[in-house]
Amino acid sequence: MNMRQMWVWMLLMALAFVNERCHCCLEEERISLLEIKAWFNHAGAAGSYDQLEGWDKEHFNCCNWDYYRVVCDNTTNRVIELHLSSVNYDGLNAVEDLDLNSSLFLPFKELEILDLSGNQLVGGLKNQGWCELKNLEHLSLSGNNLKGVLPPCLGNLSSLRSLDLSDNQLEGNIALSHLSHLPQLQYLKVSNNYFQVPISFASFMNLSNLKFFLCDNNELIATPSFQPLVPKFRLRVFSASNCTPKPLEAGLPNFLQSQYDLVFVDLSHNKFVGEPFPSWLFENNTKLNRLYLKDTSFIGPLQLPQHPTPNLQTVDMSGNSIHGQIARNICSIFPRLKNFMMANNTLTGCIPPCFGNMSSLEYLDLSNNHMSCELLEHNLPTSLWFLKLSNNNFKGRLPLSVLNMTDLDYLFLDGNKFAGQVSGTFSLASSFSWFDISNNLLSGMLPRLRGIGNSSLNSLRGIGNSSLNSLQGIDLSRNQFEDFTASDEKTWVDTGRETGDDGSRKEIFASIGGRELENEGFYLDDKILWPEISVKISVELTAKKNFYTYKGDILSYMSVMDLSCNRFTGEIPTEWGNLSGIYALNLSQNNLTGLIPSSFSNLKQIESLDLSHNNLNGRIPAQLIELTFLAVFNVSYNNLSGRTPEMKNQFATFDESSYKGNPLLCGPPLQNSCDKTESPSARVPNDSNGDGGFIDMYSFYASFGVCYIIMVLTIAAVLCINPHWRRRWFYFIEECIDTCYCFLAINFPKLSRFRR
């Protein structure tokens, strides 16, 4: 290489070095990012070391530090996006409170997106640091512990399009927050704070670009009555649930009557006293997809719009005072209805027949109304996975088509007037997770269960001789069932229902501007994107002489079987000893016979076992003392015999009430003692099951019959052999006959005179 080539090579290297330095991020922004990292590290956020590990002071180009959390402009190399959500977390919880230092973000003059959500930030939003970020378009401070009122300088962020302040402890009248000075604002979420929100929404009337407004769990306040202005905005999403801690006589927000593009509305859990049902919401908003008006004190009939609402999928108007019948043309008015919740109203009449042909309907809750009719075979669609008709006046026979729906996970028909015999010949669909037909007038044999294994029972009330897997709850109690039926079929199934997108995200975003909005950082809650459906089930148990109600997530850790208060007969299936995860078993108040299965000793998790008020016999299996979690044990009022289990482990805690009503039982804690010299092992038959009783009633009857016959034959033989005893025997018989004759001859005339 000659000298000229060397100079050219050195010049190129210098230009490359200069070019590299020229395309680095600004030095002041790089220093600020390192200060932000130190800010998180100072709070002790162990996770920040890993999440901000690429933020290295030795690397000059901060635009290459972290492509997820730091985004730079390709032309200017200025930082335009900072995604710092959940940095102050160790994976599950926030490490400790972190004081918000907004001045750290002052050097980022071109910043467009700032996300500090979920960092346990405390303090207030000071009137500094934010006002200078003139290019900020998206700001998220949700999921922190920020307090105080909003600073007036937020009104200076003229480019702001999305603002999320939800899940904090902010307060004050939101009308005084200068948010009305944000002309570009499209998305405003202030849910779960302590704001006061004027029901007139007058301060937001001029925000012509506003499309999303979510203010759940704040307080709606009345405003002076005046003729409201017509708002310039056209909302797509409005959510203001649980915003009236006390009854609000102002009624619904008036501005809603001038909205025609609503896709999602949630006004649940508000007390709009005496407000008639707002049928105009259907009439005005043909794009409506979700409507939640649960517990809003609405009154009047359920009035449907005159014209179809083709996009409506979810309607929840439970817990109101809506009366009358469901219109028979509801299927043509809401042709895509998917989730229909009208529980806890005063509806009458019957289920519209058109529901049977409505293939889109998947969730139907009409419980706690006054509906009354026969439930016909084809009144309900096979597409349902949740059906609740509890506590109405439905009558007639139980439709077999409902019981055999293959997609149905939850079925509640309790508290009605279904009558007649339940056939034991049909098979209950294996997909059931919860099955409740209690408190009816049903009788007969229980249905055969198919496709059920033995591991994840959550609450069972009233089912027969089967092993149980996918079933989470069956309630057949307080009927008149009389027998168990068996099934040996086992098909392992998973009844978990995944919550999929089902096209809702695409539909809603398409109705409000396409995927452009999603790509630009707008966020929709799961409540908006998917049906807000929660299967709220409670289980009532008696344990340790106290009455408890369990509900919520704890049920996923519980297994309960309640077959009490029926007319079950026969023996307890030994296979039930394979229910290794069961928590409580109640077979009381039936007519069960036979022995207590020794296989119950395999129920290692059981805490409550109630077999009282039956006709069980034999001895109590000694192996039950191995149940170390057992807190309640009751075998009272049976025909049990022999020695009580050894006072060991949990059995040392049970008193006489657990065993009373069994005259042939002996041993502590009972007062009648057993033979002192006889060891427990000597009295227990050494069989494979350990179920041999002290007195087997079947053997007793057989032995008594044989002895009686032998005694009669012995007397006959003696009379034939000995003439003297034979004469004495016939003389005794003759004396007895004469005595009876004289008694009747003397007393019969007296009796006749008395009767005249």
Side-chain angles (χ1 to χ4, degrees):
M1 180 182 295
N2 55 32
M3 186 63 68
R4 182 177 179 181
Q5 289 175 326
M6 183 177 295
W7 278 106
V8 172
W9 181 81
M10 292 176 63
L11 180 61
L12 291 175
M13 291 293 293
L15 289 174
F17 177 77
V18 171
N19 183 68
E20 177 68 19
R21 296 301 300 265
C22 290
H23 284 80
C24 290
C25 63
L26 267 65
E27 180 66 13
E28 60 177 337
E29 293 185 345
R30 187 178 74 90
I31 293 174
S32 294
L33 289 175
L34 293 174
E35 291 177 350
I36 291 173
K37 179 180 180 179
W39 174 52
F40 280 114
N41 291 346
H42 180 71
S48 66
Y49 290 102
D50 297 328
Q51 299 189 45
L52 304 181
E53 183 180 7
W55 295 25
D56 190 348
K57 64 180 179 180
E58 301 299 329
H59 296 90
F60 292 102
N61 192 1
C62 61
C63 294
N64 295 332
W65 282 359
D66 189 339
Y67 292 102
Y68 169 69
R69 295 195 177 275
V70 181
V71 179
C72 297
D73 185 89
N74 292 329
T75 304
T76 63
N77 282 339
R78 298 294 299 263
V79 175
I80 58 174
E81 297 182 18
L82 284 177
H83 301 274
L84 302 175
S85 62
S86 303
V87 176
N88 186 30
Y89 268 73
D90 60 3
L92 293 175
N93 302 301
V95 177
E96 62 179 51
D97 292 344
L98 183 61
D99 289 320
L100 178 60
N101 185 0
S102 57
S103 62
L104 291 172
F105 304 95
L106 284 174
F108 304 101
K109 304 297 184 184
E110 302 297 324
L111 194 63
E112 297 176 1
I113 296 177
L114 177 59
D115 185 356
L116 288 169
S117 59
N119 281 303
Q120 199 74 9
L121 300 178
V122 297
L125 292 175
K126 299 182 175 62
N127 215 354
Q128 59 180 358
W130 311 103
C131 305
E132 290 77 9
L133 300 177
K134 303 293 185 181
N135 294 314
L136 198 62
E137 296 183 5
H138 303 276
L139 174 61
S140 178
L141 297 171
S142 63
N144 289 291
N145 285 325
L146 298 172
K147 299 181 180 180
V149 299
L150 298 181
C153 73
L154 281 179
N156 297 335
L157 303 179
S158 56
S159 299
L160 200 62
R161 301 174 58 198
S162 169
L163 177 60
D164 189 349
L165 302 174
S166 60
D167 299 294
N168 282 284
Q169 301 180 45
L170 298 167
E171 59 187 26
N173 191 325
I174 201 169
L176 307 177
S177 61
H178 297 269
L179 296 180
S180 58
H181 299 166
L182 304 175
Q184 303 301 321
L185 194 63
Q186 298 181 36
Y187 178 97
L188 177 59
K189 185 176 182 181
V190 295
S191 302
N192 304 315
N193 280 284
Y194 301 109
F195 287 121
Q196 292 180 322
V197 183
I199 198 169
S200 66
F201 291 86
S203 59
F204 302 102
M205 292 294 178
N206 292 323
L207 298 180
S208 59
N209 292 304
L210 190 62
K211 291 181 173 61
F212 300 80
F213 192 10
L214 301 96
C215 60
D216 307 271
N217 294 297
N218 286 284
E219 182 181 3
L220 285 176
I221 59 173
T223 52
S225 58
F226 62 92
Q227 186 64 31
L229 300 174
V230 177
K232 294 182 179 179
F233 54 72
R234 302 290 292 271
L235 290 181
R236 306 296 192 271
V237 173
F238 179 65
S239 187
S241 63
N242 198 27
C243 288
T244 57
K246 55 186 178 181
L248 186 66
E249 297 182 359
L252 283 171
N254 286 326
F255 77 89
L256 287 176
Q257 299 195 33
S258 61
Q259 300 299 299
Y260 296 90
D261 295 329
L262 286 167
V263 176
F264 176 93
V265 176
D266 187 355
L267 293 169
S268 302
H269 308 293
N270 287 304
K271 300 179 179 67
F272 300 118
V273 179
E275 189 76 9
F277 174 71
S279 58
W280 45 266
L281 275 174
F282 294 123
E283 295 282 359
N284 295 351
N285 298 277
T286 58
K287 299 178 182 178
L288 195 62
N289 185 275
R290 305 274 195 270
L291 178 62
Y292 298 98
L293 300 176
K294 183 178 182 179
D295 296 327
T296 46
S297 303
F298 288 133
I299 60 175
L302 176 61
Q303 296 181 348
L304 301 184
Q306 296 181 356
H307 303 288
T309 307
N311 296 317
L312 190 66
Q313 290 191 356
T314 298
V315 175
D316 187 351
M317 292 183 283
S318 305
N320 288 285
S321 297
I322 299 174
H323 59 78
Q325 301 187 20
I326 301 175
R328 299 175 66 89
N329 65 336
I330 186 173
C331 303
S332 60
I333 299 299
F334 303 145
R336 297 182 60 195
L337 190 61
K338 191 173 184 179
N339 311 290
F340 189 50
M341 291 82 88
M342 292 291 298
N344 299 294
N345 282 284
T346 55
L347 295 174
T348 56
C350 198
I351 298 174
C354 68
F355 274 3
N357 299 320
M358 202 169 193
S359 59
S360 62
L361 191 61
E362 297 182 0
Y363 188 107
L364 179 62
D365 187 354
L366 301 174
S367 59
N368 298 292
N369 279 284
H370 300 155
M371 303 184 74
S372 175
C373 69
E374 286 195 31
L375 197 61
L376 302 179
E377 286 286 344
H378 303 292
N379 273 20
L380 296 167
T382 58
S383 54
L384 287 172
W385 69 268
F386 184 99
L387 174 61
K388 189 170 185 180
L389 304 177
S390 307
N391 302 315
N392 279 281
N393 293 310
F394 290 110
K395 56 188 177 182
R397 298 187 62 85
L398 206 60
L400 299 187
S401 60
V402 176
L403 301 178
N404 289 317
M405 288 182 179
T406 56
D407 291 333
L408 197 60
D409 284 348
Y410 298 90
L411 177 61
F412 300 85
L413 301 177
D414 54 298
N416 283 283
K417 296 180 180 178
F418 292 114
Q421 290 212 349
V422 175
S423 171
T425 60
F426 72 91
S427 295
L428 202 60
S430 61
S431 62
F432 278 115
S433 297
W434 206 282
F435 181 83
D436 188 345
I437 57 173
S438 63
N439 293 291
N440 280 283
L441 304 174
L442 301 170
S443 60
M445 297 176 64
L446 288 181
R448 175 185 294 264
L449 279 171
R450 57 177 170 84
I452 297 176
N454 68 358
S455 63
S456 63
L457 176 72
N458 263 10
S459 180
L460 178 69
R461 295 190 177 182
I463 200 60
N465 180 13
S466 306
S467 50
L468 305 162
N469 175 45
S470 62
L471 200 61
Q472 292 181 328
I474 289 187
D475 188 341
L476 305 180
S477 62
R478 301 185 186 279
N479 280 287
Q480 300 175 23
F481 292 119
E482 298 175 354
D483 202 358
F484 296 114
T485 56
S487 173
D488 295 328
E489 304 175 34
K490 291 183 182 179
T491 304
W492 298 97
V493 294
D494 181 5
T495 60
R497 175 170 294 273
E498 296 183 2
T499 305
D501 189 328
D502 77 0
S504 300
R505 179 186 294 269
K506 182 177 180 181
E507 287 182 3
I508 293 180
F509 273 120
S511 68
I512 54 181
R515 290 195 60 84
E516 177 186 356
L517 292 177
E518 185 177 14
N519 294 334
E520 291 184 358
F522 289 96
Y523 171 74
L524 294 180
D525 293 45
D526 289 344
K527 178 177 65 175
I528 300 175
L529 295 176
W530 294 289
E532 186 186 310
I533 297 173
S534 57
V535 182
K536 296 181 179 178
I537 301 171
S538 63
V539 172
E540 298 174 344
L541 294 176
T542 301
K544 297 184 180 180
K545 300 182 181 179
N546 293 314
F547 188 75
Y548 300 99
T549 299
Y550 298 92
K551 61 179 65 176
D553 294 338
I554 192 174
L555 292 182
S556 62
Y557 304 101
M558 293 177 60
S559 297
V560 177
M561 184 185 236
D562 187 346
L563 302 165
S564 60
C565 303
N566 273 284
R567 296 179 181 176
F568 290 127
T569 59
E571 298 185 358
I572 300 174
T574 57
E575 293 84 359
W576 284 3
N578 297 325
L579 297 172
S580 56
I582 198 168
Y583 167 87
L585 175 60
N586 189 348
L587 299 176
S588 64
Q589 304 284 345
N590 283 287
N591 296 313
L592 298 175
T593 57
L595 309 174
I596 299 175
S598 61
S599 59
F600 276 4
S601 62
N602 298 325
L603 307 179
K604 301 300 184 182
Q605 305 299 320
I606 197 165
E607 298 183 20
S608 177
L609 178 61
D610 191 347
L611 306 175
S612 63
H613 296 275
N614 281 285
N615 296 313
L616 299 172
N617 56 54
R619 36 181 328 121
I620 302 171
Q623 299 94 322
L624 295 185
I625 64 172
E626 300 171 8
L627 303 177
T628 55
F629 290 99
L630 195 62
V632 175
F633 179 69
N634 193 348
V635 292
S636 61
Y637 299 102
N638 281 281
N639 296 319
L640 298 171
S641 57
R643 186 181 294 272
T644 57
E646 185 179 358
M647 298 287 287
K648 184 179 179 182
N649 298 333
Q650 288 299 106
F651 276 81
T653 65
F654 303 140
D655 57 23
E656 186 177 356
S657 63
S658 296
Y659 305 100
K660 65 182 180 180
N662 293 279
L664 299 179
L665 272 180
C666 61
L670 297 173
Q671 298 299 321
N672 51 328
S673 62
C674 302
D675 187 359
K676 302 292 185 180
T677 62
E678 183 179 15
S679 65
S681 60
R683 298 175 63 97
V684 179
N686 186 20
D687 61 347
S688 58
N689 294 326
D691 291 331
F694 181 69
I695 295 180
D696 191 322
M697 298 305 294
Y698 297 109
S699 300
F700 172 78
Y701 295 143
S703 301
F704 180 82
V706 171
C707 293
Y708 182 79
I709 293 173
I710 292 173
M711 182 184 70
V712 172
L713 292 176
T714 301
I715 293 174
V718 170
L719 294 178
C720 289
I721 296 172
N722 193 323
H724 174 72
W725 282 105
R726 185 168 60 248
R727 286 193 300 270
R728 295 292 300 175
W729 174 261
F730 287 119
Y731 178 77
F732 173 74
I733 295 298
E734 186 177 358
E735 287 289 330
C736 290
I737 293 174
D738 291 342
T739 302
C740 292
Y741 175 78
C742 293
F743 176 82
L744 293 175
I746 294 171
N747 291 286
F748 185 75
K750 295 180 180 180
L751 180 63
S752 300
R753 288 194 300 269
F754 176 78
R755 296 177 71 177
R756 291 193 188 99

